[in-house]
Amino acid sequence: MSSTFAAIPFNKPYLAGPETKYIEEAVRSGKISGDGLFTKRCHQFFEQQLGFTKVLLTTSCTDALEMAALLLDLQPGDEVIVPSYTFVSTPNAFVLRGAKIVFADSTAENPNLDPATLESLITPRTRAVVPVHYAGIACDMDAIGAVATKHGLAVVEDAAQAIDSFYKGQALGTIGELAAFSFHETKNIIAGEGGMLAINDPRYAQRAEIIREKGTNRSSFFRGEVDKYGWVDVGSSFLPSDIVAAFLYAQLEHMGDIQARRKAIWQRYYDAFVPLAAQGVSLPHLPEYATNNGHMFYLVCRSLDERTALINALKQRQILPVFHYLSLHTSPFYTDKHDGRALPWADHYTDCLVRLPLYYELYPELQQRVVDGVLEFYASL
Ligand SMILES: *Cc1c(COP(=O)(O)O)cnc(C)c1O
């Protein structure tokens, strides 16, 4: 059916305009390794325009999470609480340090970590909790923060999807001691592969620079604070080439436009699908403390069968929706390490959540094809 239409992909990376010009500038500047001119511009953008205390670009969000795990000085056997419904990098960063992952369930309202169950997961070995702001929608940070403070846990935000989103007016990624962002091509603001660590607790600032620079104090050296640099700690190479930063800076300059477009597309979906709630389909739930950053539009179907049928019906129309995470507590790597607790909401989203195409160039006539496809599927049930 409708094979004369071009396919509507799930995602299409958007070029804001000056990306290649800035890359050329970076190359011509003669310094294309890390922490060049464009990296500094990106850092300034977050620190001066968005109010972050300190940020460091990394080669991915995965790397930023691995830096966070190093900064927390986790020891083998330490425990870290992570939602089961998330990307593998969220727990994997801590597993690399020998930590034990204790998986938390999602809430009934949305896939975010359920703070009501948090306290029951804490043991004397618990060191950190990692809320993931799913779809860029804030977790309940006051509730999570209260438990973390009471038990002396660090809060590391997985803010991979959460750029330009807020919790009670506070930017996501500025709330926990540390936060990790992604600029992977599937996110709102992209650099191909790229990420950033936000350091909100100044105690971690100096060591973060050292860990990112192979365990050396090279950053202090470049600022003229020491007269030679050397090996002072553990570390790795977490900083991106300035070519990546040049691409990213072009995107950051156009963030307002990109965000306005994405939020408009999100709202059009939302308004069109409100009537489906009567058929038991759930729309994204935005708690009153959270904003929407237009990262993702999803529906939660009533069953796995219904979701499979919806995806197939849309594929027949050359539209490519996708499901999302598979509960990590039942993953091949973790199932025999998990403590056996059932996590029914994580499993529910694993089976029933479907993401619809959402990208800058999803123009209204294209989006209408998606809307019609979904509405006609539900009308046919
Ligand atoms: C995309 C994503 C990551 C990984 O980001 P990379 O930059 O690809 O390493 C981690 N966590 C979540 C929740 C994500 O959505």
Side-chain angles (χ1 to χ4, degrees), residues 59-63 65 86-87 89-90 132 158 160-161 181-184 186-187 193-195 325:
T59 51
S60 65
C61 177
T62 302
D63 269 359
L65 289 163
T86 185
F87 190 60
S89 294
T90 320
V132 179
D158 183 337
Q161 306 173 9
F181 286 89
S182 175
F183 306 116
H184 183 265
T186 52
K187 307 302 200 275
E193 300 277 358
Y325 303 128

Short mmCIF file of all heavy atoms in Angstrom, two decimals, residues 59-63 65 86-87 89-90 132 158 160-161 181-184 186-187 193-195 325, ligand 1:
data_model
loop_
_atom_site.label_atom_id
_atom_site.label_comp_id
_atom_site.label_asym_id
_atom_site.label_seq_id
_atom_site.Cartn_x
_atom_site.Cartn_y
_atom_site.Cartn_z
N THR A 59 33.40 12.03 24.48
CA THR A 59 33.15 11.43 23.17
C THR A 59 31.78 10.78 23.09
O THR A 59 31.33 10.42 22.01
CB THR A 59 34.23 10.41 22.82
OG1 THR A 59 34.36 9.52 23.92
CG2 THR A 59 35.57 11.08 22.60
N SER A 60 31.11 10.61 24.25
CA SER A 60 29.76 10.04 24.26
C SER A 60 29.17 10.22 25.65
O SER A 60 29.89 10.53 26.61
CB SER A 60 29.79 8.55 23.91
OG SER A 60 30.49 7.84 24.91
N CYS A 61 27.88 9.98 25.77
CA CYS A 61 27.25 9.94 27.09
C CYS A 61 27.75 8.72 27.86
O CYS A 61 27.93 8.76 29.07
CB CYS A 61 25.73 9.89 26.92
SG CYS A 61 24.83 9.75 28.47
N THR A 62 28.00 7.64 27.13
CA THR A 62 28.55 6.43 27.75
C THR A 62 29.85 6.78 28.48
O THR A 62 30.06 6.39 29.63
CB THR A 62 28.81 5.37 26.66
OG1 THR A 62 27.57 5.10 26.00
CG2 THR A 62 29.38 4.09 27.23
N ASP A 63 30.73 7.54 27.80
CA ASP A 63 31.99 7.96 28.42
C ASP A 63 31.74 8.87 29.62
O ASP A 63 32.45 8.78 30.62
CB ASP A 63 32.84 8.72 27.40
CG ASP A 63 33.78 7.79 26.65
OD1 ASP A 63 33.77 6.58 26.92
OD2 ASP A 63 34.53 8.31 25.80
N LEU A 65 29.23 8.81 31.61
CA LEU A 65 28.80 7.95 32.71
C LEU A 65 29.98 7.18 33.30
O LEU A 65 30.09 7.00 34.51
CB LEU A 65 27.71 6.97 32.23
CG LEU A 65 26.35 7.60 31.92
CD1 LEU A 65 25.50 6.67 31.06
CD2 LEU A 65 25.61 7.94 33.22
N THR A 86 16.17 1.18 30.72
CA THR A 86 17.11 2.22 30.26
C THR A 86 18.05 1.61 29.25
O THR A 86 18.00 0.41 28.95
CB THR A 86 17.88 2.84 31.45
OG1 THR A 86 18.68 3.94 30.95
CG2 THR A 86 18.82 1.84 32.11
N PHE A 87 18.94 2.45 28.74
CA PHE A 87 19.97 2.02 27.80
C PHE A 87 21.07 1.29 28.57
O PHE A 87 21.34 1.60 29.72
CB PHE A 87 20.52 3.25 27.07
CG PHE A 87 21.41 2.92 25.91
CD1 PHE A 87 20.93 2.18 24.84
CD2 PHE A 87 22.72 3.35 25.90
CE1 PHE A 87 21.76 1.88 23.77
CE2 PHE A 87 23.55 3.06 24.82
CZ PHE A 87 23.06 2.33 23.76
N SER A 89 24.20 1.53 28.63
CA SER A 89 25.33 2.32 29.14
C SER A 89 25.09 2.80 30.56
O SER A 89 26.06 3.02 31.30
CB SER A 89 25.56 3.54 28.25
OG SER A 89 25.98 3.12 26.97
N THR A 90 23.82 2.99 30.96
CA THR A 90 23.55 3.51 32.30
C THR A 90 24.13 2.57 33.35
O THR A 90 24.96 3.01 34.16
CB THR A 90 22.04 3.73 32.50
OG1 THR A 90 21.46 4.28 31.32
CG2 THR A 90 21.78 4.64 33.68
N VAL A 132 17.16 8.29 35.27
CA VAL A 132 17.22 8.52 33.82
C VAL A 132 15.97 9.33 33.45
O VAL A 132 14.85 8.88 33.71
CB VAL A 132 17.21 7.18 33.04
CG1 VAL A 132 17.23 7.42 31.53
CG2 VAL A 132 18.38 6.30 33.46
N ASP A 158 21.27 10.53 34.45
CA ASP A 158 21.45 10.18 33.04
C ASP A 158 20.52 11.11 32.28
O ASP A 158 19.32 10.87 32.14
CB ASP A 158 21.12 8.71 32.78
CG ASP A 158 21.38 8.33 31.31
OD1 ASP A 158 21.37 9.25 30.46
OD2 ASP A 158 21.56 7.13 31.02
N ALA A 160 20.89 11.97 29.14
CA ALA A 160 21.20 11.76 27.72
C ALA A 160 20.14 12.37 26.81
O ALA A 160 20.44 12.94 25.77
CB ALA A 160 21.34 10.28 27.43
N GLN A 161 18.87 12.26 27.24
CA GLN A 161 17.76 12.71 26.38
C GLN A 161 17.21 14.05 26.84
O GLN A 161 16.19 14.50 26.33
CB GLN A 161 16.63 11.66 26.44
CG GLN A 161 17.10 10.26 26.08
CD GLN A 161 16.02 9.20 26.31
OE1 GLN A 161 14.87 9.50 26.58
NE2 GLN A 161 16.40 7.94 26.19
N PHE A 181 25.19 13.81 29.45
CA PHE A 181 24.37 14.16 28.27
C PHE A 181 24.90 13.43 27.05
O PHE A 181 26.08 13.09 26.98
CB PHE A 181 24.45 15.67 27.99
CG PHE A 181 23.66 16.51 28.96
CD1 PHE A 181 24.24 16.97 30.13
CD2 PHE A 181 22.33 16.82 28.69
CE1 PHE A 181 23.50 17.74 31.02
CE2 PHE A 181 21.60 17.59 29.58
CZ PHE A 181 22.18 18.05 30.75
N SER A 182 24.02 13.25 26.06
CA SER A 182 24.42 12.63 24.80
C SER A 182 24.15 13.56 23.62
O SER A 182 23.11 14.22 23.58
CB SER A 182 23.66 11.33 24.58
OG SER A 182 23.98 10.80 23.30
N PHE A 183 25.08 13.57 22.67
CA PHE A 183 24.87 14.27 21.40
C PHE A 183 24.92 13.27 20.24
O PHE A 183 25.34 13.60 19.13
CB PHE A 183 25.92 15.40 21.24
CG PHE A 183 25.95 16.34 22.41
CD1 PHE A 183 27.07 16.45 23.20
CD2 PHE A 183 24.83 17.11 22.72
CE1 PHE A 183 27.09 17.31 24.30
CE2 PHE A 183 24.84 17.96 23.82
CZ PHE A 183 25.98 18.06 24.60
N HIS A 184 24.53 12.04 20.53
CA HIS A 184 24.40 11.01 19.50
C HIS A 184 23.38 11.48 18.45
O HIS A 184 22.49 12.27 18.76
CB HIS A 184 23.92 9.71 20.16
CG HIS A 184 23.82 8.56 19.23
ND1 HIS A 184 22.64 8.22 18.60
CD2 HIS A 184 24.75 7.67 18.82
CE1 HIS A 184 22.85 7.16 17.83
NE2 HIS A 184 24.12 6.81 17.95
N THR A 186 20.77 10.49 17.34
CA THR A 186 19.35 10.30 17.61
C THR A 186 18.81 11.28 18.65
O THR A 186 17.61 11.25 18.94
CB THR A 186 19.10 8.88 18.14
OG1 THR A 186 20.01 8.67 19.25
CG2 THR A 186 19.34 7.83 17.07
N LYS A 187 19.66 12.13 19.21
CA LYS A 187 19.20 13.06 20.24
C LYS A 187 18.79 14.40 19.60
O LYS A 187 18.88 14.57 18.40
CB LYS A 187 20.29 13.25 21.29
CG LYS A 187 20.83 11.93 21.90
CD LYS A 187 19.73 11.10 22.56
CE LYS A 187 20.22 10.08 23.57
NZ LYS A 187 20.63 8.77 23.03
N GLU A 193 28.62 11.23 17.20
CA GLU A 193 28.81 10.63 18.52
C GLU A 193 29.39 11.75 19.39
O GLU A 193 30.33 12.43 18.98
CB GLU A 193 29.82 9.47 18.49
CG GLU A 193 29.44 8.31 17.58
CD GLU A 193 28.48 7.32 18.21
OE1 GLU A 193 28.12 7.49 19.39
OE2 GLU A 193 28.08 6.38 17.49
N GLY A 194 28.83 11.94 20.56
CA GLY A 194 29.36 12.97 21.45
C GLY A 194 28.60 12.97 22.75
O GLY A 194 27.50 12.44 22.84
N GLY A 195 29.20 13.57 23.76
CA GLY A 195 28.53 13.63 25.06
C GLY A 195 29.13 14.71 25.93
O GLY A 195 30.01 15.47 25.49
N TYR A 325 13.54 0.12 24.92
CA TYR A 325 14.43 -0.74 25.70
C TYR A 325 13.80 -2.09 26.02
O TYR A 325 12.59 -2.24 26.07
CB TYR A 325 14.79 -0.06 27.01
CG TYR A 325 15.42 1.30 26.85
CD1 TYR A 325 14.93 2.41 27.52
CD2 TYR A 325 16.52 1.47 26.00
CE1 TYR A 325 15.51 3.66 27.37
CE2 TYR A 325 17.11 2.72 25.85
CZ TYR A 325 16.60 3.80 26.53
OH TYR A 325 17.16 5.03 26.38
C1 LIG B 1 21.48 7.74 24.14
C2 LIG B 1 21.53 7.32 25.56
C3 LIG B 1 22.71 6.93 26.19
C4 LIG B 1 24.00 6.74 25.45
O1 LIG B 1 24.47 7.87 24.80
P1 LIG B 1 25.76 7.76 23.87
O2 LIG B 1 26.11 9.19 23.63
O3 LIG B 1 25.35 7.04 22.63
O4 LIG B 1 26.82 7.04 24.62
C5 LIG B 1 22.69 6.64 27.55
N1 LIG B 1 21.56 6.71 28.25
C6 LIG B 1 20.40 7.06 27.68
C7 LIG B 1 19.16 7.14 28.53
C8 LIG B 1 20.33 7.37 26.32
O5 LIG B 1 19.17 7.71 25.76
#
